[in-house]
Amino acid sequence: MAATAIANAKHMMLMMLSASISLPLSSRSTSLSAKRLLYNQYPTRSQTLVRSACTSITTDTSKKKKKEKGLAKEKRRTRSLRGGDVHILKEEDDDSSSSSTIMMQQSHIPVMLGEVLDVFSSNLKPLSSFVDCTLGAAGHASAIIQSHPELKLFIGMDVDPLALRMARSRINAAISHSHPHPNFQALTFVKNFRHIRSLLTQVDHISSGVDGILMDLGMSSMQVNNPARGFSVLANGPLDMRMDPQASLKAEDILNSWPDSEVGRILRDYGEERNWRLLQNKIAQARLQGGLHSTGELVDVIRSTTPGTKGGRQGWIKTATRVFQALRIAVNDELKTLEDSLHACFDCLAPEGRLAVISFHSLEDRIVKQVFLKIIGEEGRDSVRKIKGGEDEKELWIRQTIQGCNGTILTKRPITPSEKEEGFNRRSRSAKLRVIQKL
């Protein structure tokens, strides 16, 4: 009986609010009118009914807004139709026995592996040469080698010597578990992908360019899970954050030596942190007390500016994640390197070659999107036209493309992981895949 009364009260209040279209829904006059109507209808239980009706309306409105926000997000991306299959290579022949290597092998899951294999499928053009610009633990690389027996040349690049050492063992295992081309070569280099153009000039038999290039811009599990690298928010370690251990600049140098204004700019532009000014002041105060020398000390500063009881994006872990992202980008000059490297990678493609990029935050994805558009239409924006894709049954992952004078963007909207993959690999949730093909 009470539930029926509350439902009737809610219905009447909604009708009253809808009738007052000349007033905003939060208008005091509208609210008072609705309450008076309910008081007259239910004089003995009016306060409880009004309170219950208002709570119900607020809950419904909140759910509706969340649903609309989710739909808007879906329109800006293309959800992968794959089931989120994961291919994990068993490294039976690997003689590495260190605990750190074993930990890295067990924890590394390549993101959007099935989608990457689809992009470089041999259905349309044989993949005779391939470059993995961010080799990491060779999760994508080993799958590409196993899936393409026609592959003659594989080149892997990474700035992390530890990752490259592990990658070599995985690649060797992949070769032993597959049937590679008789002339197959696998070359690995400790290099940043900004040097791809000069590197390829030193390699024989690719004068016309390579057929496929992959850039996975995410942090590998082996880097995040190693406190000594300084990337983890939850594990105490040195304020390092260098992707290349041989580089000189560390996060500790930025926090303790760079001008306050520059630290604030990094937090604002690279971390998109709203409380950047407060954090900037707290960091400046920490300098007067000996400076910041560990990730734990930095996290303490962040927690002092963000109440831990607040949820969502205001929680201290969310804030710390953005701060760590900002410092990592600054230490490794990631955004400028990415922009320059995208142009270089496209130049290194053979005709009909493809470049696939997996990004993990909005700053990276924005650069990839804008550079791709610039690449295909650099002779004039009028030459760019939008067409519907996916007409080839062999490449159903292509939904809508953008055709330009120099190439074709095969992903008008980025492809995101399947719901299944997001379920078993939480780090994949922010991944976005964009692909461009050279004419």
Side-chain angles (χ1 to χ4, degrees):
M1 188 70 181
T4 304
I6 292 173
N8 291 336
K10 175 185 173 183
H11 179 66
M12 272 195 269
M13 180 171 279
L14 284 172
M15 288 182 63
M16 191 67 192
L17 292 172
S18 300
S20 305
I21 56 175
S22 60
L23 296 171
L25 293 181
S26 60
S27 166
R28 178 177 176 81
S29 300
T30 305
S31 178
L32 288 175
S33 298
K35 288 179 180 179
R36 288 195 192 98
L37 179 65
L38 290 172
Y39 289 160
N40 293 333
Q41 185 71 24
Y42 302 99
T44 58
R45 295 179 295 174
S46 57
Q47 291 185 355
T48 302
L49 287 170
V50 169
R51 196 158 42 242
S52 300
C54 288
T55 300
S56 180
I57 291 171
T58 302
T59 302
D60 290 349
T61 303
S62 178
K63 289 180 179 179
K64 184 178 179 181
K65 286 183 178 179
K66 286 183 179 179
K67 184 177 180 180
E68 290 174 349
K69 185 177 180 181
L71 290 173
K73 185 178 180 180
E74 288 292 337
K75 290 180 179 179
R76 295 194 299 268
R77 67 177 183 177
T78 300
R79 172 77 76 173
S80 173
L81 299 178
R82 271 189 159 268
D85 300 332
V86 178
H87 303 255
I88 301 296
L89 177 65
K90 294 181 180 179
E91 301 180 56
E92 300 170 354
D93 301 329
D94 185 13
D95 58 1
S96 175
S97 59
S98 70
S99 59
S100 60
T101 302
I102 294 173
M103 179 273 292
M104 290 187 292
Q105 291 172 358
Q106 293 175 343
S107 61
H108 179 71
I109 302 176
V111 173
M112 301 186 73
L113 178 56
E115 291 77 8
V116 169
L117 292 177
D118 286 343
V119 168
F120 297 108
S121 169
S122 59
N123 289 336
L124 297 182
K125 177 184 166 118
L127 193 72
S128 61
S129 54
F130 185 85
V131 178
D132 190 336
C133 290
T134 48
L135 189 55
H140 292 107
S142 56
I144 287 287
I145 292 172
Q146 289 179 306
S147 303
H148 292 273
E150 79 280 12
L151 189 63
K152 297 179 182 178
L153 176 64
F154 172 86
I155 297 175
M157 306 171 63
D158 205 294
V159 296
D160 189 341
L162 179 61
L164 203 66
R165 190 160 59 247
M166 177 184 173
R168 288 188 182 119
S169 67
R170 291 179 66 98
I171 290 172
N172 290 335
I175 295 172
S176 65
H177 285 80
S178 59
H179 303 283
H181 191 277
N183 299 324
F184 176 74
Q185 278 187 296
L187 308 175
T188 56
F189 300 90
V190 182
K191 289 274 189 182
N192 188 294
F193 50 63
R194 72 174 69 177
H195 303 298
I196 184 172
R197 187 184 283 111
S198 61
L199 176 66
L200 293 184
T201 59
Q202 304 170 22
V203 180
D204 296 331
H205 311 303
I206 54 171
S207 57
S208 60
V210 294
D211 299 320
I213 299 177
L214 173 66
M215 301 173 73
D216 178 357
L217 305 178
M219 295 284 298
S220 68
S221 301
M222 61 184 180
Q223 292 168 329
V224 176
N225 295 339
N226 185 357
R229 302 298 298 273
F231 295 117
S232 175
V233 171
L234 301 177
N236 189 30
L239 279 167
D240 194 318
M241 302 194 190
R242 293 173 298 172
M243 301 297 292
D244 178 3
Q246 302 302 316
S248 58
L249 181 63
K250 301 179 182 180
E252 183 178 2
D253 301 326
I254 294 175
L255 291 170
N256 295 315
S257 304
W258 285 25
D260 296 353
S261 58
E262 186 64 10
V263 173
R265 184 193 68 80
I266 289 171
L267 299 177
R268 181 192 67 212
D269 296 348
Y270 297 161
E272 299 180 296
E273 173 56 45
R274 286 178 290 181
N275 295 326
W276 63 271
R277 197 180 299 277
L278 177 60
L279 284 165
Q280 172 189 321
N281 294 335
K282 287 287 186 178
I283 291 170
Q285 293 173 15
R287 290 179 178 180
L288 301 177
Q289 300 173 4
L292 298 170
H293 306 286
S294 70
T295 56
E297 292 174 350
L298 177 58
V299 167
D300 289 341
V301 169
I302 295 170
R303 295 189 70 168
S304 70
T305 64
T306 311
T309 55
K310 287 190 176 182
R313 290 186 62 82
Q314 296 304 314
W316 73 266
I317 291 182
K318 295 282 187 179
T319 302
T321 301
R322 292 192 291 270
V323 171
F324 275 55
Q325 171 187 297
L327 290 170
R328 191 196 75 232
I329 290 174
V331 167
N332 300 286
D333 193 20
E334 292 182 10
L335 301 185
K336 184 66 170 70
T337 298
L338 173 60
E339 183 175 357
D340 294 342
S341 301
L342 289 171
H343 287 282
C345 285
F346 186 82
D347 291 342
C348 293
L349 288 175
E352 297 185 348
R354 290 178 176 179
L355 165 63
V357 184
I358 304 175
S359 61
F360 287 84
H361 58 77
S362 59
L363 296 176
E364 290 175 340
D365 183 59
R366 192 178 305 128
I367 289 174
V368 176
K369 176 183 177 180
Q370 292 173 350
V371 171
F372 277 10
L373 287 171
K374 183 177 180 181
I375 286 174
I376 67 168
E378 43 187 29
E379 292 182 9
R381 290 286 296 174
D382 293 338
S383 64
V384 179
R385 61 188 179 89
K386 299 176 183 178
I387 61 174
K388 290 186 177 180
E391 297 171 357
D392 192 322
E393 294 181 358
K394 295 180 180 179
E395 298 201 295
L396 296 178
W397 61 273
I398 301 178
R399 311 288 181 80
Q400 205 168 19
T401 67
I402 304 178
Q403 179 72 49
C405 54
N406 299 319
T408 304
I409 297 175
L410 301 179
T411 50
K412 178 189 173 186
R413 295 190 180 96
I415 300 174
T416 58
S418 64
E419 293 182 4
K420 184 176 180 180
E421 179 172 2
E422 289 184 357
F424 65 71
N425 185 9
R426 291 177 61 83
R427 287 177 179 166
S428 72
R429 290 177 299 171
S430 58
K432 292 181 179 179
L433 172 64
R434 293 185 184 271
V435 186
I436 188 172
Q437 177 172 300
K438 196 170 188 178
L439 292 181

